[in-house]
């Protein structure tokens, strides 16, 4: 397995956008599959936020994604955020999400940030196991979410 910035594999952008829309489209009112893909194309950076990463198997097939972005939680001034961590069901429980989280942490550190944030409704234990600190719970667009942070 290896992890690369999406800008090195633009052919994978449509699949990454489709995963993200299916998983989190409801959290982004007005978003469509096409607008999510357009936003993703703006995240194809290496040396500045936002950056989307992809995990690739030994045949360079897509097996996961995660992103480093600004302003994930509307109205919240904290930045930057780890977001859009997704591993397809057939590849779960093999440490791929953990490796993606570490990659995003390292990218944020490299770009000079000393703290990183995330919110999750589905996997707080995953991040707690990787050293993230639980902050507040709150309701956000119909979900009960846990905000977490990590000192870099
Ligand atoms: C959550 C998700 C990214 C985990 O991917 P993964 O590659 O299976 O995760 P890892 O293999 O790196 O798991 C690392 C650890 O976290 C645990 N873990 C994984 N998913 C978890 C979850 N949803 N809840 C609690 N613990 C979880 C694993 O059991 C593992 O623990 P271990 O090291 O003690 O064995 C994946 O299930 C997914 O894409 N889910 C749908 C999208 C989603 O919920 N993303 C997170 C939004 S913030």
């Amino acid at each position: 397995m290896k992890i690369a910035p999406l800008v090195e594999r633009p052919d994978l952008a449509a699949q990454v956008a489709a995963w993200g829309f299916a998983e989190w489209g409801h959290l982004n009112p007005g978003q469509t599959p096409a607008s999510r893909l357009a936003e993703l194309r703006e995240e194809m950076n290496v040396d500045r936020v936002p950056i989307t990463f992809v995990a690739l198997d030994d045949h360079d097939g897509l097996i996961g994604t995660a992103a480093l972005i600004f302003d994930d939680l509307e109205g919240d001034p904290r930045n930057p955020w780890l977001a859009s961590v997704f591993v397809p069901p057939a590849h779960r429980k093999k440490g791929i999400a953990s490796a993606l989280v570490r990659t995003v942490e390292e990218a944020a550190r490299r770009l000079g940030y000393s703290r990183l944030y995330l919110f999750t409704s589905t996997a707080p234990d995953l991040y707690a196991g990787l050293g993230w600190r639980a902050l507040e719970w709150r309701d956000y667009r119909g979900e009960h979410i846990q905000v977490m942070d990590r000192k870099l």
Side-chain angles (χ1 to χ4, degrees):
M1 199 253 301
K2 70 178 177 190
I3 295 176
L6 181 61
V7 69
E8 291 181 10
R9 288 295 306 273
D11 57 304
L12 301 178
Q15 179 62 69
V16 171
W19 282 344
F21 183 75
E23 201 70 31
W24 300 291
H26 64 287
L27 283 176
N28 299 282
Q31 190 175 70
T32 65
S35 71
R36 184 143 190 137
L37 179 56
E39 284 171 24
L40 190 61
R41 293 197 192 285
E42 300 299 315
E43 296 175 12
M44 290 169 58
N45 304 303
V46 176
D47 54 3
R48 66 182 174 91
V49 183
I51 309 174
T52 289
F53 291 93
V54 287
L56 305 169
D57 66 16
D58 293 343
H59 306 287
D60 283 344
L62 178 63
I63 53 173
T65 184
L68 175 64
I69 66 172
F70 289 130
D71 302 329
D72 199 26
L73 196 53
E74 189 181 345
D76 193 303
R78 294 171 288 190
N79 270 311
W81 297 77
L82 164 65
S84 305
V85 182
F86 183 86
V87 174
H91 296 283
R92 290 178 186 168
K93 306 282 181 197
K94 294 190 285 192
I96 296 167
S98 301
L100 284 158
V101 171
R102 293 295 186 228
T103 298
V104 171
E105 290 173 358
E106 178 52 35
R109 190 181 301 117
R110 174 171 53 85
L111 294 174
Y113 297 99
S114 57
R115 195 170 293 276
L116 186 57
Y117 299 88
L118 69 77
F119 71 86
T120 181
S121 62
T122 55
D125 294 348
L126 162 68
Y127 301 109
L130 293 171
W132 286 67
R133 178 177 64 157
L135 300 175
E136 76 276 13
W137 284 94
R138 55 170 286 193
D139 293 318
Y140 184 67
R141 296 181 178 169
E143 287 197 358
H144 197 50
I145 61 163
Q146 165 91 83
V147 181
M148 306 181 79
D149 76 350
R150 177 147 169 85
K151 191 172 185 303
L152 300 174

